[in-house]
Amino acid sequence: MRILVLNGPNLNMLGIREPDIYGKDTYSDLVNLIEEYCKNKGIEVKCLQSNHEGDLVDYIQQAFFDKTDGIVINPGAYTHTSVALLDALKAVSIPAVEVHISKVNERESFRQISYVSYYCSKTITGKGFDGYIEAIDYLAAL
Ligand code: DQA
C-alpha cells in the first residue's frame, strides 16, 4: 500500500504558527509520527508540503504515475479557494481523505467552504495530528 500525505501552505510553520489553534508540535514532528506509524503498518508513505498551489497540483498528478493507492490532504487555506486542487484529485481518481488539524467548522465563515470535500470520501477535523493517522487507517482499510 502506497500513501501520499500532502500538506498545503503554512503547515511547515506548525509549532510556530498560532500554537493555541494548531498546537506546539512542528511539521517535522508530524512527519516523524506518520512515517513511524506507516513503517509499523507496512505502508509505504511519502509526506510532501508546499506553500504553492501549482506544486500541490503537480504532487497530486505525480501520485497517479507513482501508482499511489491513497491521498491524505490538508490543503491549508487552499481548502477554501482552490478548484485546481479539486480538479487534480478528480483527474487522478485516487481515494482521498481531507484532514484539518483545527475545528474548521467552528471557525470563521470563510473557512466553511471546502472545494476538495466535493471529491474526498471523508473529512476529519479538529483531531490534531491524530486526524492524519485516522485518515491513513481509513485508506488502508479500503
Ligand atoms: C487548516 C485550516 C485552514 O482553514 C487553514 O487555512 C490552515 C490549516 C487546519 O489544518 O486546520 O492553514 O487546514
Side-chain angles (χ1 to χ4, degrees):
M1 168 122 214
R2 196 171 290 164
I3 286 180
L4 170 66
V5 179
L6 205 49
N7 277 286
N10 300 306
L11 289 157
N12 57 317
M13 296 293 280
L14 286 171
I16 299 167
R17 167 191 195 198
E18 301 178 274
D20 46 318
I21 296 176
Y22 299 109
K24 288 189 184 142
D25 292 333
T26 66
Y27 177 70
S28 305
D29 294 332
L30 175 63
V31 170
N32 288 338
L33 174 83
I34 292 168
E35 287 182 346
E36 192 62 25
Y37 186 79
C38 288
K39 195 173 152 194
N40 290 333
K41 291 252 164 185
I43 297 169
E44 198 182 309
V45 72
K46 191 192 269 185
C47 296
L48 297 174
Q49 186 276 332
S50 178
N51 293 324
H52 307 280
E53 189 176 15
D55 286 349
L56 297 167
V57 170
D58 288 344
Y59 295 154
I60 291 168
Q61 291 183 5
Q62 189 57 45
F64 174 81
F65 298 105
D66 291 345
K67 301 198 184 330
T68 302
D69 302 298
I71 297 175
V72 176
I73 184 165
N74 181 348
Y78 291 139
T79 306
H80 319 300
T81 61
S82 182
V83 177
L85 289 180
L86 169 63
D87 284 349
L89 290 168
K90 287 165 97 172
V92 298
S93 197
I94 297 169
V97 177
E98 174 186 5
V99 171
H100 299 285
I101 294 167
S102 67
K103 293 179 180 166
V104 268
N105 47 313
E106 294 176 12
R107 298 180 65 193
E108 302 94 326
S109 58
F110 60 82
R111 295 186 204 275
Q112 302 314 311
I113 173 99
S114 164
Y115 287 97
V116 296
S117 73
Y118 285 91
Y119 176 79
C120 291
S121 36
K122 190 175 168 69
T123 299
I124 300 165
T125 64
K127 295 190 174 172
F129 288 5
D130 289 346
Y132 291 85
I133 301 299
E134 191 178 319
I136 290 165
D137 281 342
Y138 174 87
L139 291 169
L142 288 182

